[in-house]
Amino acid sequence: MGIHTYFRSLNDLERIIRTPGKFKFEEHCVSAHSWKVVQYAKTLADIEEQHGVSIDWKKLYEITSSHDYGEIFIGDIKTPVKHYSLELRSMLLHVEEAMVEHFINENIPEEFKDIFRRQLREGKDDTVEGLILEVADKMDQVYEAFAELQRGNTEKEFIVMYRYALVKIKNIDLHCVRYFLNNILPDIIEEGIRSPFDIRKITEEALSQ
Amino acid sequence: MGIHTYFRSLNDLERIIRTPGKFKFEEHCVSAHSWKVVQYAKTLADIEEQHGVSIDWKKLYEITSSHDYGEIFIGDIKTPVKHYSLELRSMLLHVEEAMVEHFINENIPEEFKDIFRRQLREGKDDTVEGLILEVADKMDQVYEAFAELQRGNTEKEFIVMYRYALVKIKNIDLHCVRYFLNNILPDIIEEGIRSPFDIRKITEEALSQ
Amino acid sequence: MGIHTYFRSLNDLERIIRTPGKFKFEEHCVSAHSWKVVQYAKTLADIEEQHGVSIDWKKLYEITSSHDYGEIFIGDIKTPVKHYSLELRSMLLHVEEAMVEHFINENIPEEFKDIFRRQLREGKDDTVEGLILEVADKMDQVYEAFAELQRGNTEKEFIVMYRYALVKIKNIDLHCVRYFLNNILPDIIEEGIRSPFDIRKITEEALSQ
Amino acid sequence: MGIHTYFRSLNDLERIIRTPGKFKFEEHCVSAHSWKVVQYAKTLADIEEQHGVSIDWKKLYEITSSHDYGEIFIGDIKTPVKHYSLELRSMLLHVEEAMVEHFINENIPEEFKDIFRRQLREGKDDTVEGLILEVADKMDQVYEAFAELQRGNTEKEFIVMYRYALVKIKNIDLHCVRYFLNNILPDIIEEGIRSPFDIRKITEEALSQ
Amino acid sequence: MGIHTYFRSLNDLERIIRTPGKFKFEEHCVSAHSWKVVQYAKTLADIEEQHGVSIDWKKLYEITSSHDYGEIFIGDIKTPVKHYSLELRSMLLHVEEAMVEHFINENIPEEFKDIFRRQLREGKDDTVEGLILEVADKMDQVYEAFAELQRGNTEKEFIVMYRYALVKIKNIDLHCVRYFLNNILPDIIEEGIRSPFDIRKITEEALSQ
Amino acid sequence: MGIHTYFRSLNDLERIIRTPGKFKFEEHCVSAHSWKVVQYAKTLADIEEQHGVSIDWKKLYEITSSHDYGEIFIGDIKTPVKHYSLELRSMLLHVEEAMVEHFINENIPEEFKDIFRRQLREGKDDTVEGLILEVADKMDQVYEAFAELQRGNTEKEFIVMYRYALVKIKNIDLHCVRYFLNNILPDIIEEGIRSPFDIRKITEEALSQ
């Protein structure tokens, strides 16, 4: 049809649940996750600007808000599958891109095709905007896993997720990462003291890797 | 505490359900709504740019993503209450602003206070960005109501919501509104032909008001 | 229409969730809350009768069962909003009353109008029935908050709710309040010993205020 | 323990769902049903009073609010099971009564035992209050079944339930039943015209039985 | 109708929830329970075969997969009701059998009637297949109760259920029971060390009964 | 650990929802689907036996009950992804097999390894048991899609699913397929006459392909 098909499809992401198959005290849909990534990224970019870094806000807007749109076509494939082998990972990425391209060709009017191709591309490149997206995406994994651990969820997957996301974040060289590690993470640990898990220890192990 | 308190609070909007008290085949939380508004607004702004209008993307990013953040403090008060009287409406708006200001004073570090005051302000002003936000917000009401009508929801509230949102949109003088009326709305009507309601007629009545 | 419109509207309260926006292990709708208030009040009134107090059962029936009916029109506005200022509180109360009055005028047949005006009025006056309603309403907050604390819910709102409701109850001078404090509250504390929170201490602090 | 055990048990009825095993667009818990029965009964009794009938409000309060409390012990056994044979029915009733009696003996303090025995008894006797309870209970089946039929639920059970409840109501000789048949039922039929089922015809067949 | 009516009815078991009325962090429907019983039984039978016991796989298939089909007609009646008296228990069993027989007579074509009568019979006899079904059924109660206790569920019913199921299992004289007690139960206890309940102690008490 | 890890993992399939991302009036988890496949297959095999075909019940038991166990590791990847290319499909199948193998190596005791390898293998081979599994699996897609179409679900995916599954079934040469087409499908069509979709026409188009 046209832009209507795209607008209508956005609703689908409310029905794709993150971390499928694991017990969770609270479920999160991909739309809500996407919104939180948009919000984190905004503040992270503000921190970069405070340190004199120049931000392309249009690009940041585009890549953060659409970064999981492709899951409409492939679903929330489990992380271990994505990382099973470099070959499979690149093939899955290729399929996702091909399906997005197919969707654009079928539905998006000619005058918007280039815009949508740019917006729905994989945004995690090495620019400051791409790196901020990566940090914001992983930060939501930290918060999702933290909330489950804090409530006493004993699924090991959430310790793995918390640790993995922290390791990813700490290895990115941005002002906002340093702010997160120095000013936000201590508050998370502080809030987690009532958890049956030793969140401080899990955090320190992750940071020392 | 600090930014952590703000980041943690974002999760609350996943638990505030829109149009409380009415039967719905599908519920929407405020976070998912916020993300869809961000996505609609992006495409609406693209249309404006195609017509040579200049967009302040940083501002658009800020006001679309945070436009319902205040609902964390006041909840999703029913629309008829908000519109009961100009006096009540302005008082509720005042309370919401005061609670946001209180939150910023208590939680946000000094160096971010001005940024958060700007981001969490009411964004629906008369600039092109403010108007796009208004269109995108109402467009989500159109889509939410449409999906219920299409599935045969007999609650009158959804006809009222669909009509009211359309009237609001059509009275805003933007290129993207004309695009919506000419290129997107016909596809909505077309898709709605199987509804037990005459969506074409409801639409035409709204547009002729 | 008529009484049918009123009967049909009762169903709406099953879709309004209490304490919106906060994480809960178990959600409660306003209908279920209303039923529990009816049940508590019945036993509280039995206790009063045992001490020779005379109860107007028709009045107690009317005010307990309908005490939250007005939420159909205004939703479950967050407590901090209601208490933001005396001015706002009285304005919200005025709006709720005006909307109930409007509903009665539009829907209720002439011969029932006075009955419905009496039944749907704010029932928390200074009579023994009005005070019992207040105790029963707060008692359900005690039980709702207690169940969350017992299961390890770390949202601070539930400690605040538990404490606030206890303070309200203990300041009401009724035989049934003394019974509650001496015979029921100790059992609550006893049952809460496995909670990660020190429910005894929270209780004692509230009672000593 | 004591009254606490009773108050705490009330919450259990929020987790017992009516008409288990059948597809429903909207589920109802026994607590919400109980509250609606309390509300219907209040208006039905008002109608009786308007015709000069004297109502024992304390009794009506007691029997309507507690009429399904016994389901805490036996669950929502399917109607066809209850009606399988007079022998089974009376045995199930006996078990329910015995379990309620056991609960009272174990948990309720001596001075309240008689009160609870009276309140938790089967209330559907031949007094005007007992008959009003029967009408109110069946009226909620009418509304539950109607809402499903109106939304296009094709489970035959809801036609059976609607019809069966109507037949039960129409055979009770009360002023409020005549009011229901003449003033409320026509509005239900009117509201149901958009249903894929011919609700008028189903209604007329039931009334002519 | 025919086999279609039977196939269609299978869906009903997805809407019957186990242990109704009790707070659960995670609900289980009868279908999911039935599937897990099928899976446990398969492995239990494998263990018997390893010890040289001969298994009738067709019979095991039939009785495990259909063992709770009768709940479509009677619902998930609470365990204390079933065990209230031998007389009631046998009467309920009789009703269930009569309703299954009635269903077969009404719906199943002549050439399948005997097959269905055999498949939908009560399968827990004294053959090795019947005993394996009993072990597998109780094993799912162990796992359901364990998962709730591990997450801190304070409803006493789950301790009772865990203990009762263990006692039932340990008294059955099968190779697979010994394997369960020696090789599986220790892992359950090990996994439960973070529970606020002392699962080891509860287990040992049950085994020593 | 051991068999405990396997038994515990079965619960995960209750949290993987079929057809993720599409609006459904009723959701189905993989466990409930698996149970229904076990049940359909049993009756399909009975039909084969009636025509003198010999069934290996142990094999049928093993392959039907475990046919979707691998989804624990890869999730419910969307069908269009699986069928995107033969290359991707075989790679995904390879990953699933490798993850199952890894799970067996890590968790299953030596003496059970071969049994689990056989049970958790892809079961859809060309034997009568493999073909019955294929029919039963597709039959559940027919029933799932039918129930949504019957209730007026306008997502095109369900028409596609219904048609695709029927085409798959009709091309399998088994006695039970002929029974399904001649004796069960007509009842499905008959039951679907109230659907807003012309289920008869959709069915006939599929069968004539």
Side-chain angles (χ1 to χ4, degrees):
Chain A
M1 315 259 279
I3 298 294
H4 165 62
T5 310
Y6 166 69
F7 280 175
R8 195 79 161 85
S9 75
L10 299 176
N11 192 205
D12 284 15
L13 284 182
E14 288 175 67
R15 307 188 201 104
I16 298 186
I17 299 303
R18 287 166 60 82
T19 330
K22 292 298 159 191
F23 173 76
K24 285 157 293 237
F25 288 113
E26 185 168 38
E27 295 203 320
H28 303 279
C29 66
V30 175
S31 315
H33 159 71
S34 294
W35 178 69
K36 285 182 288 188
V37 167
V38 165
Q39 294 288 77
Y40 302 141
K42 186 170 60 180
T43 298
L44 298 176
D46 287 334
I47 295 171
E48 293 301 310
E49 281 197 340
Q50 284 187 328
H51 288 81
V53 177
S54 170
I55 299 291
D56 178 344
W57 285 94
K58 183 176 179 180
K59 181 182 176 187
L60 190 69
Y61 190 148
E62 289 182 351
I63 63 176
T64 54
S65 61
S66 292
H67 81 286
D68 272 345
Y69 181 76
E71 294 201 7
I72 282 181
F73 304 110
I74 60 159
D76 195 6
I77 292 179
K78 298 207 157 192
T79 307
V81 177
K82 287 192 213 161
H83 297 276
Y84 184 77
S85 74
L86 282 178
E87 196 188 356
L88 179 71
R89 194 187 187 174
S90 79
M91 188 173 282
L92 278 171
L93 206 63
H94 170 74
V95 174
E96 186 173 328
E97 285 169 0
M99 295 182 92
V100 168
E101 179 62 25
H102 178 77
F103 176 81
I104 291 173
N105 283 335
E106 288 287 297
N107 294 289
I108 302 300
E110 213 51 54
E111 66 270 31
F112 293 101
K113 281 206 167 92
D114 284 347
I115 294 174
F116 274 81
R117 280 191 191 110
R118 192 185 67 229
Q119 289 177 358
L120 302 181
R121 76 181 180 276
E122 168 64 26
K124 291 183 181 172
D125 57 25
D126 286 340
T127 63
V128 64
E129 295 83 13
L131 293 172
I132 286 174
L133 168 56
E134 173 71 358
V135 174
D137 197 20
K138 290 294 170 291
M139 203 176 281
D140 201 42
Q141 291 197 328
V142 168
Y143 272 110
E144 279 186 17
F146 168 69
E148 291 299 318
L149 295 175
Q150 193 189 20
R151 289 168 194 147
N153 191 328
T154 58
E155 294 264 3
K156 284 179 209 125
E157 188 133 334
F158 291 105
I159 296 182
V160 173
M161 184 195 289
Y162 180 85
R163 194 180 280 144
Y164 170 83
L166 269 189
V167 171
K168 277 280 183 182
I169 290 172
K170 86 176 171 73
N171 289 332
I172 293 171
D173 183 28
L174 285 179
H175 299 288
C176 60
V177 167
R178 285 183 285 279
Y179 188 90
F180 171 74
L181 296 176
N182 295 329
N183 301 81
I184 294 176
L185 199 51
D187 284 355
I188 293 179
I189 293 170
E190 178 67 24
E191 199 187 313
I193 49 168
R194 233 186 279 268
S195 169
F197 299 92
D198 190 341
I199 289 177
R200 180 182 302 279
K201 202 177 143 206
I202 298 169
T203 305
E204 284 167 359
E205 281 170 11
L207 295 184
S208 67
Q209 282 195 333
Chain B
M1 316 257 278
I3 298 292
H4 165 63
T5 310
Y6 166 70
F7 280 175
R8 195 78 162 84
S9 75
L10 299 176
N11 191 207
D12 284 15
L13 284 183
E14 288 173 67
R15 307 187 201 103
I16 299 185
I17 299 302
R18 287 166 59 82
T19 330
K22 292 298 158 190
F23 173 77
K24 286 158 293 242
F25 288 113
E26 184 168 38
E27 295 204 320
H28 303 280
C29 65
V30 176
S31 315
H33 158 72
S34 294
W35 178 69
K36 286 182 288 187
V37 167
V38 165
Q39 294 288 77
Y40 302 141
K42 187 169 60 180
T43 298
L44 297 176
D46 287 334
I47 296 171
E48 293 301 310
E49 281 196 340
Q50 284 187 328
H51 288 82
V53 178
S54 170
I55 299 291
D56 178 344
W57 285 93
K58 183 176 180 181
K59 182 183 175 187
L60 190 69
Y61 190 148
E62 290 183 349
I63 63 176
T64 53
S65 60
S66 291
H67 81 285
D68 272 344
Y69 181 76
E71 294 200 7
I72 283 181
F73 305 110
I74 61 159
D76 196 6
I77 291 179
K78 299 208 155 191
T79 307
V81 177
K82 288 194 213 158
H83 297 276
Y84 184 77
S85 75
L86 282 178
E87 195 188 357
L88 179 72
R89 194 186 187 175
S90 78
M91 188 172 283
L92 279 171
L93 206 62
H94 170 74
V95 173
E96 187 173 328
E97 285 169 0
M99 295 182 92
V100 168
E101 179 62 24
H102 177 76
F103 176 81
I104 291 173
N105 283 334
E106 289 286 297
N107 295 289
I108 302 301
E110 214 52 53
E111 66 270 31
F112 293 101
K113 281 207 167 90
D114 284 347
I115 294 174
F116 274 81
R117 279 192 191 108
R118 192 185 67 229
Q119 288 177 0
L120 302 182
R121 76 181 180 277
E122 169 64 26
K124 291 183 182 171
D125 57 26
D126 286 340
T127 62
V128 64
E129 294 84 13
L131 293 172
I132 285 175
L133 167 57
E134 173 71 358
V135 175
D137 197 21
K138 291 294 170 291
M139 202 176 281
D140 201 42
Q141 290 197 328
V142 168
Y143 272 109
E144 279 187 18
F146 169 69
E148 291 299 319
L149 295 175
Q150 193 188 20
R151 289 167 194 147
N153 191 329
T154 57
E155 294 264 4
K156 283 179 211 125
E157 189 132 334
F158 291 105
I159 296 183
V160 173
M161 184 195 288
Y162 180 85
R163 193 179 280 145
Y164 170 82
L166 268 188
V167 171
K168 277 279 181 181
I169 290 172
K170 85 175 171 74
N171 289 333
I172 293 171
D173 183 27
L174 286 179
H175 299 287
C176 60
V177 167
R178 286 183 285 279
Y179 189 88
F180 172 74
L181 296 176
N182 296 328
N183 300 80
I184 294 177
L185 199 51
D187 283 355
I188 292 179
I189 293 170
E190 177 66 24
E191 198 186 314
I193 48 168
R194 233 186 278 268
S195 168
F197 300 90
D198 190 342
I199 289 177
R200 179 182 302 279
K201 201 176 144 208
I202 299 169
T203 306
E204 284 167 0
E205 280 169 11
L207 295 184
S208 67
Q209 283 196 334
Chain C
M1 314 258 279
I3 299 293
H4 165 62
T5 310
Y6 166 69
F7 280 175
R8 195 78 160 85
S9 75
L10 299 176
N11 192 205
D12 284 15
L13 284 183
E14 288 174 67
R15 308 187 199 104
I16 299 187
I17 299 302
R18 286 166 60 81
T19 331
K22 292 298 158 188
F23 172 77
K24 284 158 295 239
F25 288 113
E26 184 167 38
E27 294 204 320
H28 304 279
C29 66
V30 175
S31 315
H33 158 73
S34 294
W35 178 70
K36 285 182 289 188
V37 167
V38 165
Q39 294 289 75
Y40 301 141
K42 187 169 59 181
T43 298
L44 298 176
D46 287 334
I47 295 172
E48 293 300 310
E49 281 196 340
Q50 285 187 327
H51 287 81
V53 177
S54 170
I55 299 292
D56 178 345
W57 285 94
K58 183 176 179 180
K59 182 182 175 186
L60 190 68
Y61 190 148
E62 290 183 350
I63 63 176
T64 53
S65 61
S66 291
H67 81 285
D68 272 345
Y69 181 76
E71 295 201 6
I72 283 180
F73 305 110
I74 61 160
D76 196 7
I77 292 179
K78 299 207 157 192
T79 306
V81 177
K82 288 193 213 160
H83 297 275
Y84 184 76
S85 74
L86 282 178
E87 195 189 356
L88 179 71
R89 194 186 187 174
S90 78
M91 188 173 282
L92 279 171
L93 207 61
H94 170 74
V95 174
E96 186 173 326
E97 285 169 0
M99 296 181 92
V100 168
E101 179 62 25
H102 177 77
F103 176 80
I104 291 173
N105 283 334
E106 289 285 298
N107 295 290
I108 302 301
E110 213 51 54
E111 67 270 31
F112 293 101
K113 281 205 165 92
D114 284 347
I115 294 174
F116 274 81
R117 279 191 192 109
R118 192 185 68 229
Q119 289 177 359
L120 303 181
R121 76 181 180 276
E122 168 63 24
K124 292 183 181 171
D125 56 26
D126 286 339
T127 63
V128 65
E129 295 83 15
L131 293 172
I132 286 175
L133 167 57
E134 174 72 358
V135 175
D137 196 20
K138 291 294 170 291
M139 204 176 281
D140 201 41
Q141 290 197 329
V142 168
Y143 272 109
E144 279 186 17
F146 169 69
E148 291 300 318
L149 296 175
Q150 194 188 18
R151 289 168 194 146
N153 191 327
T154 57
E155 293 265 2
K156 283 179 210 126
E157 189 132 334
F158 291 104
I159 295 182
V160 173
M161 183 195 288
Y162 181 85
R163 193 180 279 145
Y164 171 82
L166 268 188
V167 171
K168 278 278 183 181
I169 290 172
K170 86 176 171 76
N171 289 332
I172 293 171
D173 183 26
L174 287 179
H175 300 288
C176 60
V177 167
R178 285 183 285 279
Y179 190 89
F180 171 74
L181 296 176
N182 295 328
N183 300 82
I184 295 176
L185 199 51
D187 284 355
I188 293 179
I189 292 170
E190 178 66 23
E191 199 186 313
I193 48 170
R194 235 186 277 269
S195 168
F197 299 92
D198 190 342
I199 289 177
R200 180 182 302 278
K201 201 176 145 207
I202 298 170
T203 305
E204 284 167 359
E205 280 170 11
L207 295 183
S208 67
Q209 282 195 335
Chain D
M1 314 257 278
I3 298 293
H4 165 62
T5 310
Y6 166 69
F7 280 176
R8 195 79 162 82
S9 75
L10 299 176
N11 191 206
D12 284 15
L13 284 183
E14 289 174 66
R15 308 187 199 103
I16 298 186
I17 298 303
R18 287 166 59 81
T19 331
K22 292 298 158 188
F23 173 77
K24 285 158 293 237
F25 287 113
E26 184 167 37
E27 295 203 320
H28 303 279
C29 66
V30 176
S31 315
H33 159 73
S34 294
W35 178 69
K36 286 183 288 188
V37 167
V38 166
Q39 294 288 76
Y40 301 141
K42 187 169 61 181
T43 297
L44 298 176
D46 287 334
I47 295 172
E48 292 301 310
E49 281 197 339
Q50 284 186 329
H51 288 80
V53 177
S54 171
I55 299 291
D56 177 345
W57 285 94
K58 184 176 179 180
K59 182 183 177 188
L60 189 69
Y61 190 147
E62 288 183 350
I63 63 176
T64 54
S65 60
S66 291
H67 81 286
D68 272 345
Y69 181 75
E71 295 201 5
I72 283 182
F73 305 109
I74 60 159
D76 196 6
I77 292 180
K78 298 206 157 192
T79 307
V81 177
K82 288 192 214 160
H83 299 274
Y84 184 77
S85 75
L86 281 177
E87 195 189 357
L88 179 71
R89 194 185 187 175
S90 78
M91 188 174 283
L92 279 171
L93 206 62
H94 171 75
V95 174
E96 186 173 328
E97 284 168 1
M99 296 182 92
V100 168
E101 180 61 25
H102 178 77
F103 176 81
I104 290 173
N105 283 334
E106 289 286 296
N107 294 290
I108 302 300
E110 214 50 55
E111 67 269 32
F112 293 101
K113 280 205 167 93
D114 284 347
I115 293 173
F116 274 81
R117 280 192 191 108
R118 194 185 65 229
Q119 288 177 359
L120 303 182
R121 77 182 180 277
E122 168 64 25
K124 291 182 181 172
D125 57 25
D126 285 341
T127 63
V128 65
E129 296 83 13
L131 293 172
I132 285 175
L133 167 56
E134 173 71 359
V135 175
D137 196 20
K138 290 294 170 291
M139 203 177 280
D140 201 42
Q141 290 197 329
V142 168
Y143 272 110
E144 279 186 18
F146 169 69
E148 292 299 318
L149 295 175
Q150 193 188 21
R151 290 167 193 147
N153 191 327
T154 57
E155 294 264 4
K156 281 177 211 128
E157 189 132 334
F158 291 105
I159 295 182
V160 173
M161 183 195 289
Y162 181 85
R163 194 179 279 146
Y164 170 83
L166 268 188
V167 171
K168 278 277 183 182
I169 291 172
K170 85 176 172 74
N171 289 332
I172 293 171
D173 183 27
L174 286 179
H175 300 287
C176 61
V177 167
R178 286 184 284 280
Y179 189 89
F180 171 74
L181 296 176
N182 295 329
N183 299 82
I184 294 177
L185 199 51
D187 284 355
I188 293 179
I189 294 169
E190 177 67 23
E191 199 186 312
I193 47 170
R194 235 186 275 270
S195 168
F197 300 91
D198 190 341
I199 289 176
R200 180 182 303 278
K201 202 176 145 208
I202 299 169
T203 306
E204 284 166 359
E205 280 170 10
L207 295 184
S208 67
Q209 283 196 333
Chain E
M1 314 258 279
I3 299 293
H4 165 63
T5 310
Y6 166 69
F7 280 175
R8 194 79 162 86
S9 76
L10 299 176
N11 191 205
D12 284 15
L13 284 183
E14 289 174 67
R15 307 187 200 103
I16 299 186
I17 299 302
R18 287 167 59 80
T19 330
K22 292 298 159 190
F23 172 76
K24 285 158 294 242
F25 288 114
E26 185 167 38
E27 296 203 320
H28 303 279
C29 66
V30 175
S31 315
H33 159 73
S34 294
W35 178 70
K36 285 182 289 187
V37 167
V38 166
Q39 294 288 76
Y40 302 140
K42 187 169 59 180
T43 298
L44 298 175
D46 287 335
I47 295 172
E48 293 301 310
E49 280 196 339
Q50 285 186 327
H51 287 81
V53 177
S54 169
I55 299 291
D56 178 343
W57 285 94
K58 183 175 179 181
K59 182 182 176 189
L60 190 68
Y61 190 147
E62 289 183 351
I63 62 176
T64 53
S65 61
S66 292
H67 81 286
D68 272 345
Y69 181 75
E71 295 201 5
I72 283 181
F73 304 110
I74 60 159
D76 195 7
I77 292 179
K78 299 207 157 192
T79 307
V81 178
K82 288 192 214 160
H83 297 275
Y84 184 77
S85 74
L86 282 178
E87 195 189 356
L88 179 72
R89 195 187 187 174
S90 78
M91 188 173 282
L92 279 170
L93 206 62
H94 170 74
V95 173
E96 186 174 327
E97 284 169 1
M99 296 181 91
V100 168
E101 180 61 26
H102 177 77
F103 177 81
I104 290 173
N105 283 334
E106 289 285 298
N107 294 290
I108 302 300
E110 213 52 53
E111 66 270 30
F112 293 101
K113 282 207 166 91
D114 284 346
I115 294 174
F116 275 81
R117 279 192 192 109
R118 193 186 66 230
Q119 289 178 358
L120 303 181
R121 76 181 180 278
E122 169 63 26
K124 292 182 181 172
D125 56 26
D126 286 339
T127 63
V128 65
E129 296 83 14
L131 293 172
I132 286 175
L133 167 56
E134 173 72 358
V135 175
D137 196 21
K138 290 296 170 289
M139 203 178 282
D140 201 42
Q141 290 196 329
V142 169
Y143 273 109
E144 279 187 17
F146 169 69
E148 291 300 318
L149 295 175
Q150 193 188 20
R151 289 166 194 147
N153 191 328
T154 57
E155 294 265 2
K156 283 178 209 125
E157 189 132 333
F158 291 104
I159 296 183
V160 173
M161 183 195 289
Y162 180 84
R163 193 179 280 145
Y164 170 82
L166 269 189
V167 171
K168 277 279 183 182
I169 290 172
K170 85 177 171 75
N171 289 333
I172 293 172
D173 183 27
L174 286 179
H175 300 288
C176 60
V177 167
R178 285 183 286 279
Y179 189 90
F180 171 74
L181 296 176
N182 295 328
N183 299 82
I184 295 177
L185 199 51
D187 284 355
I188 293 179
I189 293 170
E190 177 67 24
E191 198 186 314
I193 48 169
R194 235 186 277 269
S195 168
F197 300 91
D198 189 342
I199 289 177
R200 180 182 302 278
K201 201 176 145 207
I202 299 168
T203 305
E204 284 166 359
E205 280 169 12
L207 295 184
S208 66
Q209 281 195 337
Chain F
M1 316 256 281
I3 299 293
H4 165 62
T5 310
Y6 166 69
F7 280 175
R8 194 80 161 82
S9 75
L10 298 176
N11 192 205
D12 285 15
L13 284 183
E14 288 175 67
R15 307 187 200 104
I16 299 186
I17 299 302
R18 287 167 58 82
T19 330
K22 292 299 159 188
F23 172 76
K24 285 158 294 243
F25 287 114
E26 185 167 37
E27 295 203 320
H28 303 279
C29 66
V30 175
S31 315
H33 158 72
S34 294
W35 178 70
K36 286 182 289 187
V37 167
V38 165
Q39 294 288 78
Y40 301 141
K42 186 169 60 180
T43 298
L44 298 176
D46 286 334
I47 295 172
E48 292 301 311
E49 280 196 340
Q50 284 186 328
H51 288 82
V53 177
S54 170
I55 299 291
D56 178 345
W57 285 94
K58 183 176 178 180
K59 182 182 176 187
L60 190 68
Y61 191 148
E62 289 183 350
I63 62 177
T64 53
S65 61
S66 292
H67 81 284
D68 272 345
Y69 181 75
E71 295 202 6
I72 282 180
F73 305 109
I74 60 160
D76 195 6
I77 292 180
K78 299 207 156 192
T79 307
V81 177
K82 288 192 213 160
H83 298 276
Y84 184 75
S85 75
L86 282 178
E87 194 188 358
L88 179 72
R89 195 187 187 174
S90 78
M91 188 173 281
L92 279 171
L93 206 62
H94 171 74
V95 173
E96 187 174 327
E97 285 169 0
M99 295 182 92
V100 168
E101 179 61 25
H102 178 77
F103 176 82
I104 291 172
N105 283 334
E106 290 284 298
N107 295 290
I108 302 300
E110 213 51 54
E111 66 269 31
F112 294 101
K113 281 207 166 92
D114 284 347
I115 294 174
F116 275 81
R117 278 192 192 109
R118 192 185 66 229
Q119 289 178 359
L120 302 182
R121 76 180 181 277
E122 169 64 26
K124 292 182 181 172
D125 56 26
D126 285 340
T127 63
V128 64
E129 296 82 14
L131 292 172
I132 285 176
L133 167 57
E134 173 72 358
V135 175
D137 196 21
K138 290 294 171 290
M139 203 177 281
D140 201 42
Q141 290 197 328
V142 168
Y143 272 110
E144 279 186 18
F146 169 69
E148 291 299 318
L149 295 175
Q150 193 187 20
R151 290 167 194 147
N153 191 327
T154 56
E155 294 264 2
K156 283 179 210 127
E157 188 132 333
F158 291 104
I159 296 182
V160 173
M161 183 195 290
Y162 180 84
R163 194 179 281 145
Y164 170 83
L166 268 190
V167 171
K168 277 277 183 183
I169 290 172
K170 85 176 173 74
N171 288 333
I172 293 172
D173 183 27
L174 286 178
H175 300 287
C176 61
V177 166
R178 285 183 285 281
Y179 189 90
F180 171 73
L181 295 177
N182 295 328
N183 299 82
I184 295 175
L185 199 51
D187 283 355
I188 293 179
I189 293 169
E190 177 66 24
E191 199 187 313
I193 48 169
R194 235 185 278 269
S195 168
F197 300 91
D198 190 342
I199 289 176
R200 180 182 301 279
K201 202 177 145 207
I202 299 169
T203 305
E204 283 166 359
E205 280 170 11
L207 295 184
S208 67
Q209 282 196 336

